[in-house]
Structures are given as C-alpha cells and as structure tokens.
Amino acid sequence: ADGSSRTKVAGRIERINAERGSRVRQLLTFRFIPETDVHHRHVAVHKEINHPDGKKEKVFNDGAHLVTFPNGTLKLVLPSGYTQIKFPNEDTKETFENGKTVYNYSDSQITQITDGNDQPQKFYFSNSQLELHYKDDTKEIFFADDSAKLIAGGREYNILPDGQVYRVTSNKSGVGEVDPTSFERSLTE
C-alpha cells in the first residue's frame, strides 16, 4: 500500500478512537408519527379513487395521498414530498424532502439510513452496533463494548476499547489471525 492510503487509514483510526466514547448509539425505532400515521389521520378525505390495477387511493383535504396496494402495502405521500411506506412484512420506509431515507427491517431489527451522495450509509442494530458504509467500500463498525472495526483498502483492523489497534490477517488456511504489531508495521512499511 502507498503512503497516502496508510495515512488515510491512520487518520480514520484516530477519528474512530476519538469519537468512539462519545458516539451516540441509540437505536432508531421507526414509528409512524401522529400527524402522518396512516391509521390515525384526522384530516377529511377529499376523494377516493379505485385504480384498475387494484390500488385504492385516498386524497385528503390537506393534499396528502394514501395509497393501499393489493398486497397490503400502505404508502402515504404528504404535499411536502415526505413519504412513508409500510410493507406487509412490517418493514417501513421513510423518505424525507431532502432525500434522506430511513428503512427499518422489522424481522432483523436493523435500521438503515441513507443521507445523501457524500454521506455514508448508517446501519443501526438492536444490539447497539453501528456500521458506517462508505462509497469507497470502507466500513467502520462500532460495537456496544466500545470496540470498533475498520475495513479499508483490503485490510481489516480491530480497535480495542483502550485504543490498541490490531490488523487482522489470514493464515495459509484462510483463517483470520490477529497480529498485535501489524498495524504499526503496516503504516511504516
């Protein structure tokens, strides 16, 4: 690896160590907020439309649309552009006016947030694990015990709660091994 990629990895590890203790790892639990809840809207229906493909649409006086699909999917679109979808498997998706998307996988209790082109995708797990996935295939993974993992440039690093960094390597049989001196060596090679 060249010097710039080593510097980039070292910078990411320094940032992970600096932020790890203060990072908020609260799980985002999707819930329909009262003013948009498809089951508890208190706005009068302006008209109802039955589409030939089986969709049923309610248009509300405030300009919102609620579409019920034949498979049971519910889609609420507000005049602002905000959209909420509830799928038959209980997964939910919110799309905000600014392009931010929040998808909640009901069965696995994972919440995925996509903020925009230059932002990493964020994955929140029910065990308080947080993963950041970047466009360059770099991944930062934060665990509840304050340890972390960085996967960057084809290499994997474990970062312990005390700040120690270990590079994970594979032996001849492909089994992962941890070399406690490999990080410092790999940055100076």
Side-chain angles (χ1 to χ4, degrees):
D2 66 11
S4 66
S5 66
R6 285 192 296 268
T7 302
K8 185 177 177 182
V9 167
R12 284 188 189 257
I13 288 174
E14 283 180 30
R15 187 180 51 74
I16 288 171
N17 268 330
E19 293 178 0
R20 192 161 23 100
S22 63
R23 184 172 292 277
V24 176
R25 285 188 213 86
Q26 65 183 18
L27 289 175
L28 300 177
T29 305
F30 182 92
R31 58 181 161 69
F32 281 103
I33 50 180
E35 60 270 17
T36 61
D37 188 335
V38 296
H39 296 296
H40 299 96
R41 284 191 59 78
H42 300 290
V43 178
V45 174
H46 173 69
K47 67 178 174 179
E48 294 189 33
I49 305 166
N50 291 317
H51 295 275
D53 61 2
K55 289 186 292 189
K56 296 180 180 185
E57 183 174 0
K58 291 181 181 178
V59 181
F60 295 89
N61 285 341
D62 65 355
H65 292 250
L66 173 63
V67 180
T68 304
F69 293 86
N71 69 355
T73 298
L74 298 173
K75 181 177 182 180
L76 177 66
V77 181
L78 298 183
S80 64
Y82 171 85
T83 303
Q84 243 179 17
I85 301 172
K86 185 170 186 179
F87 298 97
N89 66 355
E90 298 299 317
D91 284 2
T92 54
K93 180 180 178 181
E94 285 181 289
T95 304
F96 295 85
E97 300 83 353
N98 64 2
K100 176 179 179 177
T101 301
V102 178
Y103 194 102
N104 183 33
Y105 298 89
S106 178
D107 285 345
S108 58
Q109 297 182 358
I110 298 171
T111 299
Q112 176 184 358
I113 300 175
T114 306
D115 279 318
N117 292 337
D118 296 333
Q119 298 295 317
Q121 288 190 47
K122 300 172 189 86
F123 295 84
Y124 295 86
F125 295 79
S126 60
N127 65 357
S128 297
Q129 177 178 319
L130 166 64
E131 293 188 11
L132 304 175
H133 294 202
Y134 295 85
K135 290 200 178 292
D136 67 356
D137 291 329
T138 297
K139 294 180 183 173
E140 297 174 2
I141 304 168
F142 299 87
F143 301 99
D145 67 356
D146 273 342
S147 64
K149 180 178 288 201
L150 171 66
I151 302 169
R155 295 184 178 192
E156 183 176 317
Y157 303 91
N158 290 335
I159 305 164
L160 302 181
D162 65 4
Q164 293 182 64
V165 179
Y166 296 94
R167 191 172 114 212
V168 179
T169 59
S170 295
N171 63 22
K172 293 177 185 173
S173 65
V175 176
E177 296 181 335
V178 175
D179 178 357
T181 62
S182 62
F183 178 68
E184 290 77 13
R185 220 178 30 238
S186 69
L187 290 181
T188 58
E189 289 173 348

